[in-house]
Amino acid sequence: MSASVAAKIYPTRALQTNLREIKGLADENLVHITENGSAAYVFCSEEVLQRTVDQAVEDELYRLRLVDSVARGEADIAAGNVVVGIDAAFEEADRLAASHG
């Protein structure tokens, strides 16, 4: 599902007058239904729902990996596990590569 796709928004009364159109859109994207001008419902196909949930899970797992990476980096810095300069970084990379066979 593309983030650039504009959300389709319909009032609840459109479910009576434009149901075929709304169902067609709901086969591909989330369709927002308003009631008295306020957000009320989201309508979509099972496939769109599953894609939306899968994407939310993937996004959260990515966020957690980033948080973990930053925390490990901060812990390394606090413990003094750092190198300064490009030459030192290459030397450390060579040393690690040699120690892992």
Side-chain angles (χ1 to χ4, degrees), residues 84-95:
V84 178
I86 193 76
D87 291 334
F90 281 123
E91 288 172 13
E92 181 65 10
D94 288 343
R95 185 188 68 74

Side-chain angles (χ1 to χ4, degrees), residues 19-91:
L19 185 57
R20 180 174 284 142
E21 175 185 346
I22 293 170
K23 284 175 66 176
L25 291 169
D27 284 336
E28 299 298 324
N29 296 293
L30 297 174
V31 178
H32 299 270
I33 307 295
T34 61
E35 196 167 59
N36 299 321
S38 297
Y41 306 97
V42 176
F43 184 66
C44 65
S45 68
E46 288 283 335
E47 181 181 330
V48 170
L49 175 62
Q50 190 60 57
R51 278 196 328 249
T52 302
V53 169
D54 291 347
Q55 186 64 53
V57 168
E58 185 178 322
D59 291 350
E60 181 61 12
L61 290 172
Y62 179 76
R63 187 192 71 78
L64 290 172
R65 286 192 306 271
L66 284 176
V67 167
D68 182 59
S69 293
V70 169
R72 284 185 290 125
E74 289 175 338
D76 278 342
I77 291 169
N81 298 331
V82 297
V83 295
V84 178
I86 193 76
D87 291 334
F90 281 123
E91 288 172 13

